[in-house]
Amino acid sequence: MSLLSRFSMLLRHCLVASLIGVPAAFAAPPAVVVENPKEVHAIVVGVDQYQHLARLKGAAADARDIETSLRAMGVQDVTALYDDKADRDSILKNVDDLSARIRPGDLVILSIAGHGAQEPERVKGSEADGKDAVFLLAGFDTAGAGTRQRILDKEFNHLIKAFESRGARVLFVADTCSGGGLAREVDPRGSEMIYRSVPTYAISDDELKPVSTPSDAFATELDFTRTIFLAAVDKNSKAPEIKVPGVDGYRGALSYALARALEGAADANGDGKITIEELFAYVRQLTYQLSDQRQTIVSASAPRLDVNTEPVVELSRSVTFVTPPGSAPSAVAANIPLGGAARATPAGAPPPFPPQRPVRVAVLDGSSAQLADVTPLESRFEAVAPNQNPELIWDPKSGDVISGGDVIAREVGKDELPGVIDRAAAVRALKQMAARSVQPILLLPDNKVHHLGSQVEVAIDQLSNRSLLLFNLAGDGTVQLLYPQNESEAELMNKPEYRLPIKVRGPFGADQIVAITAPERMPQLEQALGKLNARRTAGQLVRILSQYADAGMRLGSVGVFTAP
């Protein structure tokens, strides 16, 4: 598939903090600034307040987050257009103005967040499916002057080529989508999800006059020489707005991940450069985890670019980072025994462990009084109504516990809720940790709900010369240590990947497989996790990680969602 075809696909289907209670080693990385801030320029667009379409809740926040990150890094040439300020004329004028002042070698970041759609292609034969992709602006309407308030994918092609003609490098980010399906269906008892797409519409009396030419519709990958693309999802998936742990309101996972990447979190080897591959790997993994695997981003780069060496941005550390000194059965059965070994390492005072906010819990029928006599284990909780953005919803009739649209535990009695609450708090903290130091991990073959007897595989990559700790966090809060199982496995990995085969069995719900890797052995952490094994001790996980975390650690996790 050509770059343009992939780009058109991205547009067609995906036009596209503070850490409270997170161990110090997983907290924000050293503050960074752009090496040459005058060489970086950005136009960020975020639209929530649509006049004639369903409103969004996180697109404007996405744009503000990226703007804030860039300005904190020293970038001064940032144009931010939110809601009704992001009209067609303003966007095109700002693109034209920017084209006039950029110089060869400069980086242009063009980021859009909002609703996407599909329309019949304007140039016959230009799209395999006969549909153009469209980014919709706040004043869009299907008739009259509002028909101008949209930008076609071919127009973005045209604008990007104009930047390239000036010798600029371009990073185009589309945190939007025009349709598709879901990796997993959403349980209707959970909170309603918001998607960045609109139903099919018909336009009458179209007043849009594209800035693109017919030749733009048939351009090939050779027309792009210095551009990389990121899109929220592929053509078969929807892009939801999500709740990011530690962040108020809703967000787009891709935009959030991009902002953290540009702040330096994507610099995997700490050399002060974020290469294309480092950017893609970091954003892909973090988006995957924050969305509970409902999103897999699409990335593409111009063929001439070497993704392994080509830097997107070069960074300077503005401060020096100093590391502080330092049951119920699972829903899955791993094909490896449990166990592990430990050896002593120099001990140090653990960093302080700030309290986390309570987990918000609702009873499905609204009878929150049922929670009055529930005694917490480790994590505090707050009883709320089902319409007050709960993190967990308990159905007392079936015993199901729903989180983010997924059933994470089944047949849970009231006396078992504290363990599930501890798990929710632990998963929340684990996601926060991963945002600062992410470890690649995937569930294969897909992220659907898997049923009794089926087999899946957890794939952990980038492991060469690193140690690996792998454990499971069951839906009821039970911790299960999976790797290592002996002293030899506890040594540094001599291969780049590890595969964990899993066979699904009851009880069903959601298991969170967590991988922690480090450049050195982790005997104390391994020993501490071993003491939690086969017990409902999810609430102690984050405190243990706080005590034994190291600045070189990476963390990643995947959910295995199961049903009978």
Side-chain angles (χ1 to χ4, degrees):
M1 180 184 293
S2 70
L3 175 63
L4 180 63
S5 297
R6 282 180 285 179
F7 178 40
S8 296
M9 180 188 70
L10 305 190
L11 288 170
R12 181 183 319 120
H13 302 284
C14 330
L15 264 169
V16 278
S18 62
L19 304 182
I20 299 175
V22 175
F26 288 103
V32 298
V33 295
V34 177
E35 185 74 34
N36 296 296
K38 291 184 178 180
E39 297 176 0
V40 180
H41 317 267
I43 297 176
V44 295
V45 177
V47 182
D48 285 334
Q49 302 301 314
Y50 286 89
Q51 297 174 21
H52 308 288
L53 302 172
R55 294 186 172 186
L56 297 173
K57 295 184 177 181
D62 287 343
R64 288 191 177 91
D65 189 15
I66 295 172
E67 177 193 6
T68 300
S69 294
L70 290 171
R71 293 194 186 280
M73 296 166 67
V75 179
Q76 297 180 0
D77 189 4
V78 182
T79 300
L81 300 171
Y82 306 125
D83 294 325
D84 61 343
K85 304 299 182 185
D87 61 89
R88 178 181 173 84
D89 290 341
S90 295
I91 293 174
L92 296 181
K93 182 180 185 304
N94 277 283
V95 168
D96 188 58
D97 291 347
L98 177 55
S99 295
R101 64 179 181 268
I102 57 178
R103 297 180 178 182
D106 286 0
L107 171 66
V108 173
I109 299 173
L110 177 58
S111 171
I112 59 173
H115 275 311
Q118 295 184 73
E119 297 177 3
E121 61 184 1
R122 284 179 172 253
V123 180
K124 295 300 182 183
S126 61
E127 294 291 346
D129 62 357
K131 295 179 180 179
D132 286 332
V134 188
F135 179 61
L136 304 178
L137 303 172
F140 172 75
D141 202 356
T142 56
T147 58
R148 293 189 67 252
Q149 296 306 316
R150 68 198 206 273
I151 301 178
L152 308 178
D153 57 348
K154 306 304 187 295
E155 295 186 282
F156 279 115
N157 292 347
H158 184 85
L159 301 177
I160 290 170
K161 285 161 63 179
F163 287 137
E164 284 198 342
S165 70
R166 300 281 296 176
R169 300 173 295 123
V170 182
L171 168 58
F172 180 80
V173 183
D175 201 344
T176 182
C177 187
S178 59
L182 296 171
R184 296 185 310 281
E185 292 302 316
V186 176
D187 193 292
R189 295 170 293 178
S191 301
E192 183 179 358
M193 283 195 171
I194 303 167
Y195 300 98
R196 293 183 176 177
S197 61
V198 299
T200 302
Y201 53 78
I203 291 180
S204 59
D205 303 320
D206 195 350
E207 296 186 14
L208 178 67
K209 292 180 171 34
V211 297
S212 55
T213 65
S215 63
D216 290 320
F218 294 97
T220 70
E221 62 185 32
L222 299 179
D223 289 280
F224 297 98
T225 59
R226 297 175 64 80
T227 298
I228 63 176
F229 308 99
L230 289 169
V233 287
D234 64 21
K235 66 178 182 179
N236 299 313
S237 306
K238 290 183 179 180
E241 294 197 318
I242 65 165
K243 299 284 287 184
V244 176
V247 176
D248 292 333
Y250 286 84
R251 295 297 307 278
L254 171 59
S255 293
Y256 180 84
L258 175 70
R260 307 290 79 75
L262 294 176
E263 290 170 347
D267 182 12
N269 60 6
D271 66 353
K273 297 179 181 180
I274 299 176
T275 65
I276 296 173
E277 179 55 34
E278 284 179 325
L279 177 68
F280 285 177
Y282 176 86
V283 173
R284 182 185 303 117
Q285 186 65 39
L286 186 56
T287 301
Y288 180 76
Q289 291 183 201
L290 289 176
S291 66
D292 290 323
Q293 299 150 240
R294 283 194 166 88
Q295 273 182 264
T296 300
I297 68 161
V298 179
S299 57
S301 61
R304 67 171 292 274
L305 298 175
D306 185 339
V307 298
N308 293 310
T309 62
E310 183 82 19
V312 180
V313 293
E314 298 191 24
L315 309 170
S316 293
R317 302 287 170 179
S318 60
V319 298
T320 301
F321 182 54
V322 179
T323 306
S327 102
S330 169
V332 295
N335 295 343
I336 56 174
L338 304 179
R343 68 186 183 200
T345 59
F353 181 72
Q356 293 195 5
R357 61 176 175 80
V359 176
R360 297 170 63 85
V361 183
V363 179
L364 183 63
D365 60 11
S367 57
S368 58
Q370 293 193 60
L371 303 176
D373 58 347
V374 173
T375 302
L377 293 176
E378 297 281 341
S379 304
R380 296 176 300 129
F381 74 92
E382 174 187 5
V384 299
N387 63 353
Q388 293 181 316
N389 295 320
E391 296 171 74
L392 299 176
I393 298 177
W394 176 52
D395 183 347
K397 292 184 177 180
S398 66
D400 290 349
V401 182
I402 303 100
S403 175
D406 291 303
V407 177
I408 62 168
R410 300 173 186 269
E411 300 180 1
V412 174
K414 185 166 63 173
D415 59 334
E416 297 173 302
L417 276 175
V420 184
I421 292 169
D422 277 0
R423 177 196 186 275
V427 170
R428 182 174 65 190
L430 291 170
K431 287 183 177 181
Q432 290 177 289
M433 297 175 198
R436 296 304 180 183
S437 190
V438 70
Q439 167 61 45
I441 181 171
L442 293 172
L443 181 67
L444 303 173
D446 55 50
N447 300 298
K448 297 178 180 179
V449 174
H450 298 278
H451 297 276
L452 178 65
S454 64
Q455 295 194 22
V456 297
E457 190 174 57
V458 176
I460 305 104
D461 292 321
Q462 297 183 17
L463 291 178
S464 295
N465 298 315
R466 297 183 68 85
S467 62
L468 170 66
L469 284 177
L470 197 63
F471 62 90
N472 175 45
L473 196 54
D476 64 357
T478 299
V479 175
Q480 180 186 19
L481 183 61
L482 302 175
Y483 188 95
Q485 59 174 325
N486 54 50
E487 181 68 15
S488 63
E489 287 186 343
E491 298 296 335
L492 298 185
M493 303 291 289
N494 57 11
K495 56 185 180 179
E497 61 183 22
Y498 178 79
R499 298 293 184 264
L500 176 73
I502 292 174
K503 185 174 183 180
V504 176
R505 63 177 176 85
F508 305 100
D511 286 69
Q512 199 76 13
I513 309 296
V514 181
I516 298 176
T517 71
E520 303 292 341
R521 284 280 309 271
M522 299 176 282
Q524 290 180 316
L525 179 57
E526 177 190 333
Q527 187 177 48
L529 290 174
K531 294 179 180 179
L532 305 184
N533 187 44
R535 299 163 57 203
R536 292 185 185 177
T537 49
Q540 300 179 37
L541 272 175
V542 179
R543 184 165 58 249
I544 286 175
L545 289 176
S546 176
Q547 184 173 359
Y548 296 112
D550 179 85
M553 285 183 180
R554 300 175 189 163
L555 187 147
S557 66
V558 292
V560 183
F561 300 91
T562 63

